[in-house]
Amino acid sequence: MFVCDDENQIHRDAKNGGSMLNRLKIRSRLIAGFGSIVLFLILTGALSLKNLDAQGELLSRFYDHPFTVTNAIHLVDAHIIRMHRGMKDVVLYADDRDDMEASLADIEASERIVYRELAVARERFLGDKGKIDQIKESMDQWKPVRARTIELVRQGKIAEAVAFHKGYARKMVTRIDTQVNDVLKFSNGKAESFVQEARNNERLTFAVTAILVALAGILAAATAFAITASITRPLDQAVKAADQLSQGDLSVEIDSSSPDELGQLLRTMGKMVQSLQRMGATANQIALGDLDTDVVPISERDVFGIAMSNMVASLRRLAASADRIAAGDLTIDVLPASSKDRLGNSFSVMTRNLRELSLEIAEVVNVLSGSATEIMTTVSELASSSAQTATSIAETNATVQEIRQTTDLTSQKSRQVYESAHRSVQVAKAGTESVSSAIGGMQGIDERMGFIADRIVNLSEQSQAIGEIIATVADLAEQSNLLAVNAAIEAAKAGEHGKGFAVVAQEVKNLATQSKQATSQVRGIINQIQKATTAAVLATEQGSKAVEAGVRQSSEAGESIRLLSASIEDSSNATLQIVTSTQEQAIGMDQIAIAIQSINQASDQNVEGSRQIEAAARNLYELNQKLQKLVSGYKVA
Amino acid sequence: MPASRIDWNSLLKRQEAAFAAANERSLDPGQEQAVLRERAVRLAVRPPEPESGETVDCLEFLLSGESYAIELCYITETLPLTDFTPLFCTPAFVLGIVNVRGRIVSILDLRRFFELASVGLSDLNRVIVVGNGSMEFGVLADSVAGMRSLKAQELLPPPDAFTGIREEFLAGVTADRLALLDMGKIMSDPRIVVHEEVS
């Protein structure tokens, strides 16, 4: 019943957009869904178990009754047949006592089994138990019959015994057999009915279990669908809203009355969106320049709100600074909030620049003021000088007449100059020729100088040879001196006879001494000669250099003469031009006279213009006064 | 153009004069005769009689700026010092030996023999060979001045500056600081004989 209810409810919930399901929390929703499935499964299992139990019971009953009874009756039947055959053996083999005794023992054993089985059958038999009692009774009746037969056999009355057995005993056995068959038939019928019952029961169980499994499947699918739907729909909404928010679109509307977690999430998002919208509106106001709004952070950890409020505060500060600047107060210093504060930095730079600018303007205005004054004085000077100009022009006119006369004179003079220049050119040409011949002569001198130097060096070498000879002569003199000494010694040894020889020796010695002195004199002279030759060589070298310089200077002179001739030619041409231009000058002078007339008129206009300039300068001065007033409106320090 | 400052004419004259002076004989015959005559007259003058008293003929020579003299009777000859061979194992005053026309003569450095403390510079280019018949050796000299006759009266005893061995071998000193060596004493002095065996 509960299962049915639960299922219906889920179906209804799914159809009504999960209004009731949504009232539950997701956890309870999940628990309810899965719980119902588990419950259903347990129920199905229990029912199946119960049916299995019934089936088992049926089987055990089937085993306990029809099957056991049939078995027992079959045993009874078999052992009765055995007993009957034993009796037959007894009758047939009456001669052999041992065989007979064995058959008798066999019969007794079978009889015991028959009674035992009968007792079992009686206990389990489901039909009329009287039938079993009848069998037992027949068995009891059969016993004396068998005893009579055995008696007859023992007495040796075998023919009688056979007759008895064939007649009475066979009837007994046939009766028992029919009774047994009767019971067996009943028992078999009973077993068949049991089988039928079990088959019915099985079919029922299968049907019930199949239905329950199908129901459980449907239930699980429905629950899963409903729960998934109830979770994904709000999630989709949240994702869509978050997507819009991430695009910066704050126009999302989030509405949820669901009490579950997703509902809470959506409501929180809604709050966030509202706060963002508020912030957006405030930012818009700020963007429009409205700084009167107060931004109150939602909490202490509202980074965005705090930042906005800081921004507003800093903007207000800047606005206040800007107000003061607007009022002309440039003394303020705007401190930037950080090194990256572009606005603050720009403001700071701007105020600084404005300060410098206004200072510069003040300076410029001062300069301008000075200039304006100067212009005014200059203009008045200009006016007076215009008047002077007018008188000067009259003087100029007179001067122009004088110049005209002078120009005629100039024309004559320049013609004379032209002729003399022409003669100068001829002279310069002659000069150039002489210079080049002088250069040739100089080069000849240079060659001679080289020759002289060579000769002098030769002489020096020869004097060197003389020096060597002189050295030899000195050596000879020395040796002669020594020889003279030796001769003197020898003479002294000769005593009185050697006296004359001693004189000669002395004379030789004197000669040697004189030659030695002469050689030293010659050596001195040679030294002087060598010095002189060195000086001469140096002198020739200097002479050669002087010649070189002379060549250079004469070529320079030649060049100068050439240039001179060229320039004289130029000046001759120029004088020719002067002649023509002085004629033009005469014409020009006439034109100047006319021009001076025009200048006179222009100077009159000048006087008028300077008056106008004076008025303009006054205006400039007044303008400057105003500028000064304006500039002084800016406080700088 | 100004004339050259060099007086070529005078230069040429000077040169000709110089050449003529070079080519002409040193003296013209007359002058030469005059010189010879003058010399003959000079020689013809009888030398003044030697004053009474003994005279000593000696050879004057220079050694380290000092003048010494040796009597002629001891002198054999004078030679230029061209080449000599130093001897080992001889006293410092033996400079070495020299070959004089086949004779081996040892050379004596008087400065070292006289044990002069500071030996001055010397040209050392003359050798005066002395001998007395028994022994012969050469005495080193810077240069030989020439013959000289000394009067016995001129000789003075050596001054105090001459001390030691030098004083011992001086015969006397003249007024112009010429020291006459007593050669006989030097030769007979046992110190001059070098006898040394080198194992």
Side-chain angles (χ1 to χ4, degrees):
Chain A
M1 230 15 235
F2 170 76
V3 173
C4 266
D5 269 6
D6 197 28
E7 203 174 330
N8 285 344
Q9 192 177 329
I10 286 163
H11 279 292
R12 207 169 57 240
D13 282 354
K15 275 171 198 159
N16 296 353
S19 63
M20 188 203 157
L21 203 61
N22 284 349
R23 241 171 278 140
L24 295 169
K25 294 221 163 182
I26 289 173
R27 193 194 302 166
S28 16
R29 223 179 289 169
L30 285 173
I31 289 169
F34 285 107
S36 62
I37 291 165
V38 167
L39 205 66
F40 210 80
L41 281 175
I42 290 168
L43 211 67
T44 314
L47 216 65
S48 302
L49 281 176
K50 195 177 150 235
N51 279 335
L52 271 177
D53 197 33
Q55 196 81 7
E57 201 182 340
L58 220 58
L59 264 175
S60 103
R61 269 170 67 198
F62 177 63
Y63 176 76
D64 276 351
H65 302 288
F67 184 69
T68 320
V69 171
T70 317
N71 235 2
I73 299 300
H74 272 300
L75 268 173
V76 166
D77 196 22
H79 281 280
I80 285 170
I81 291 163
R82 211 166 166 173
M83 281 165 71
H84 186 58
R85 201 186 61 204
M87 284 309 296
K88 235 183 226 173
D89 284 349
V90 168
V91 175
L92 283 176
Y93 307 109
D95 298 342
D96 196 345
R97 289 279 174 183
D98 291 341
D99 272 353
M100 197 182 75
E101 286 306 322
S103 297
L104 283 175
D106 225 13
I107 290 163
E108 264 175 47
S110 292
E111 194 183 8
R112 273 200 303 277
I113 288 166
V114 167
Y115 277 113
R116 197 187 65 207
E117 291 302 319
L118 277 175
V120 168
R122 195 182 182 280
E123 195 188 338
R124 303 274 174 97
F125 195 55
L126 295 171
D128 184 11
K129 290 192 180 175
K131 282 182 182 174
I132 307 288
D133 289 339
Q134 275 178 6
I135 294 170
K136 205 175 173 185
E137 208 176 309
S138 302
M139 281 299 289
D140 290 344
Q141 283 171 4
W142 190 30
K143 198 167 183 179
V145 173
R146 280 198 322 259
R148 176 73 182 147
T149 312
I150 293 162
E151 185 82 45
L152 285 173
V153 170
R154 278 198 183 139
Q155 284 167 1
K157 294 173 195 169
I158 291 164
E160 220 173 313
V162 169
F164 189 69
H165 179 69
K166 274 185 180 173
Y168 193 68
R170 189 173 285 177
K171 278 180 199 161
M172 286 296 288
V173 169
T174 309
R175 204 177 73 200
I176 290 167
D177 207 29
T178 40
Q179 284 170 342
V180 165
N181 276 336
D182 195 27
V183 169
L184 206 59
K185 200 183 280 173
F186 179 82
S187 205
N188 276 340
K190 203 68 185 170
E192 221 158 270
S193 82
F194 266 125
V195 167
Q196 196 66 38
E197 197 183 342
R199 202 159 286 160
N200 288 342
N201 198 357
E202 186 196 330
R203 225 171 271 148
L204 184 72
T205 310
F206 180 80
V208 167
T209 311
I211 289 164
L212 281 175
V213 166
L215 281 175
I218 291 163
L219 176 65
T223 313
F225 178 75
I227 289 171
T228 310
S230 77
I231 292 168
T232 50
R233 204 171 299 120
L235 264 181
D236 278 347
Q237 204 181 348
V239 166
K240 214 177 281 170
D243 203 29
Q244 268 184 302
L245 281 178
S246 75
Q247 301 282 330
D249 180 4
L250 297 180
S251 65
V252 274
E253 277 183 20
I254 299 166
D255 185 29
S256 176
S257 57
S258 172
D260 63 3
E261 294 93 329
L262 284 169
Q264 281 175 6
L265 179 67
L266 284 171
R267 276 195 295 284
T268 314
M269 273 181 74
K271 272 194 218 164
M272 190 179 85
V273 167
Q274 278 170 9
S275 137
L276 279 174
Q277 280 168 349
R278 267 206 309 284
M279 286 289 176
T282 313
N284 257 331
Q285 276 182 316
I286 292 165
L288 288 169
D290 178 6
L291 298 177
D292 291 337
T293 46
D294 272 323
V295 181
V296 181
I298 299 165
S299 68
E300 280 180 8
R301 298 162 71 183
D302 180 6
V303 177
F304 194 39
I306 291 166
M308 283 280 276
S309 113
N310 284 345
M311 190 176 83
V312 168
S314 115
L315 279 173
R316 272 183 199 154
R317 244 189 349 264
L318 284 178
S321 305
D323 283 346
R324 287 178 67 184
I325 291 166
D329 181 6
L330 297 178
T331 55
I332 48 158
D333 268 321
V334 181
L335 294 174
S338 69
S339 62
K340 288 184 172 177
D341 181 3
R342 277 183 59 185
L343 195 58
N345 278 327
S346 307
F347 239 94
S348 163
V349 172
M350 189 182 82
T351 42
R352 206 159 52 238
N353 287 349
L354 274 175
R355 217 177 292 149
E356 285 168 12
L357 193 66
S358 55
L359 277 172
E360 278 174 27
I361 289 171
E363 278 174 31
V364 169
V365 164
N366 280 334
V367 173
L368 199 63
S369 145
S371 305
T373 325
E374 277 175 28
I375 288 169
M376 274 185 62
T377 54
T378 312
V379 164
S380 50
E381 282 170 17
L382 193 66
S384 63
S385 66
S386 300
Q388 284 176 358
T389 309
T391 56
S392 303
I393 285 164
E395 286 169 14
T396 308
N397 206 0
T399 313
V400 165
Q401 291 305 320
E402 285 170 18
I403 290 172
R404 231 219 106 141
Q405 287 168 3
T406 320
T407 309
D408 288 344
L409 205 67
T410 309
S411 181
Q412 286 172 10
K413 290 285 175 191
S414 56
R415 201 173 293 277
Q416 286 169 7
V417 168
Y418 171 68
E419 278 159 17
S420 83
H422 200 67
R423 282 199 298 278
S424 299
V425 169
Q426 302 296 328
V427 173
K429 264 175 197 157
T432 312
E433 277 164 21
S434 358
V435 163
S436 54
S437 69
I439 288 171
M442 291 276 193
Q443 277 160 354
I445 291 170
D446 194 31
E447 280 169 22
R448 294 289 163 80
M449 284 289 190
F451 183 69
I452 290 167
D454 192 43
R455 283 303 158 92
I456 288 171
V457 168
N458 271 346
L459 280 178
S460 170
E461 283 166 4
Q462 282 169 4
S463 62
Q464 186 69 35
I466 294 172
E468 282 162 19
I469 292 164
I470 288 298
T472 314
V473 172
D475 195 35
L476 286 174
E478 188 67 22
Q479 285 181 27
S480 310
N481 188 20
L482 209 61
L483 274 175
V485 169
N486 281 341
I489 291 165
E490 292 299 326
K493 279 179 185 168
E496 203 57 34
H497 299 291
K499 271 224 167 123
F501 189 65
V503 172
V504 174
Q506 184 63 38
E507 206 57 26
V508 170
K509 190 173 185 297
N510 285 345
L511 283 176
T513 312
Q514 277 173 15
S515 351
K516 206 172 175 191
Q517 283 167 0
T519 53
S520 69
Q521 279 170 4
V522 170
R523 189 174 294 281
I525 290 165
I526 285 169
N527 279 342
Q528 282 173 2
I529 288 172
Q530 278 179 340
K531 276 177 194 160
T533 48
T534 314
V537 168
L538 282 174
T540 47
E541 199 185 346
Q542 282 170 355
S544 181
K545 277 180 186 164
V547 166
E548 245 170 64
V551 167
R552 203 170 54 239
Q553 282 162 358
S554 11
S555 38
E556 280 170 10
E559 182 67 14
S560 309
I561 290 169
R562 202 183 56 74
L563 289 174
L564 186 68
S565 125
S567 81
I568 288 167
E569 237 171 58
D570 286 352
S571 52
S572 130
N573 290 337
T575 42
L576 205 62
Q577 284 172 354
I578 290 168
V579 170
T580 53
S581 57
T582 39
Q583 284 163 357
E584 285 169 10
Q585 239 174 24
I587 302 163
M589 278 299 156
D590 292 344
Q591 286 174 346
I592 287 170
I594 299 162
I596 283 169
Q597 207 65 37
S598 326
I599 289 169
N600 201 8
Q601 288 171 5
S603 80
D604 287 349
Q605 287 170 356
N606 253 357
V607 170
E608 185 61 30
S610 63
R611 215 165 283 144
Q612 286 171 359
I613 290 170
E614 203 176 351
R618 186 148 299 129
N619 287 343
L620 187 66
Y621 183 74
E622 279 163 18
L623 189 70
N624 184 46
Q625 294 291 324
K626 280 183 194 170
L627 255 179
Q628 265 180 340
K629 211 174 286 171
L630 278 177
V631 167
S632 63
Y634 282 103
K635 275 195 279 175
V636 175
Chain B
M1 198 170 164
S4 173
R5 278 171 300 174
I6 302 164
D7 188 355
W8 289 106
N9 286 331
S10 71
L11 269 181
L12 278 174
K13 271 179 195 160
R14 272 171 63 191
Q15 195 184 21
E16 272 168 18
F19 284 159
N23 284 335
E24 104 185 77
R25 290 176 58 185
S26 58
L27 289 170
D28 58 352
Q31 218 171 354
E32 200 172 345
Q33 284 296 322
V35 169
L36 283 175
R37 210 176 292 126
E38 189 195 352
R39 198 174 291 170
V41 168
R42 210 157 16 106
L43 286 173
V45 173
R46 188 177 278 272
E49 276 298 308
E51 288 170 38
S52 59
E54 223 177 322
T55 57
V56 182
D57 286 334
C58 56
L59 185 70
E60 184 187 350
F61 65 94
L62 293 170
L63 186 60
S64 293
E66 290 177 349
S67 297
Y68 293 91
I70 297 174
E71 276 185 68
L72 270 182
C73 58
Y74 295 109
I75 296 173
T76 313
E77 61 183 319
T78 61
L79 312 163
L81 179 63
T82 48
D83 199 9
F84 72 95
T85 311
L87 277 183
F88 300 107
C89 301
T90 52
F93 60 77
V94 179
L95 189 70
I97 52 172
V98 71
N99 183 356
V100 182
R101 287 188 284 279
R103 301 198 309 275
I104 302 300
V105 177
S106 56
I107 302 167
L108 176 70
D109 188 349
L110 280 178
R111 296 171 306 161
R112 297 204 184 269
F113 186 66
F114 289 158
E115 292 172 358
L116 293 181
S118 57
V119 177
L121 288 172
S122 171
D123 292 342
L124 294 178
N125 51 4
R126 291 284 181 273
V127 175
I128 302 164
V129 182
V130 292
N132 58 356
S134 62
M135 70 186 295
E136 188 181 41
F137 59 88
V139 173
L140 211 57
D142 282 350
S143 64
V144 175
M147 304 292 295
R148 193 157 169 181
S149 277
L150 294 176
K151 293 190 182 78
Q153 298 99 306
E154 277 180 347
L155 286 173
L156 303 170
D160 295 341
F162 287 75
T163 53
I165 195 164
R166 196 144 64 128
E167 189 192 13
E168 200 177 325
F169 292 112
L170 279 185
V173 179
T174 62
D176 51 350
R177 296 184 63 81
L178 175 70
L180 181 63
L181 296 173
D182 192 346
M183 218 57 209
K185 214 168 184 178
I186 292 172
M187 282 185 183
S188 58
D189 197 89
R191 279 171 287 187
I192 206 152
V193 180
V194 176
H195 181 78
E196 200 164 324
E197 283 183 1
V198 179
S199 56

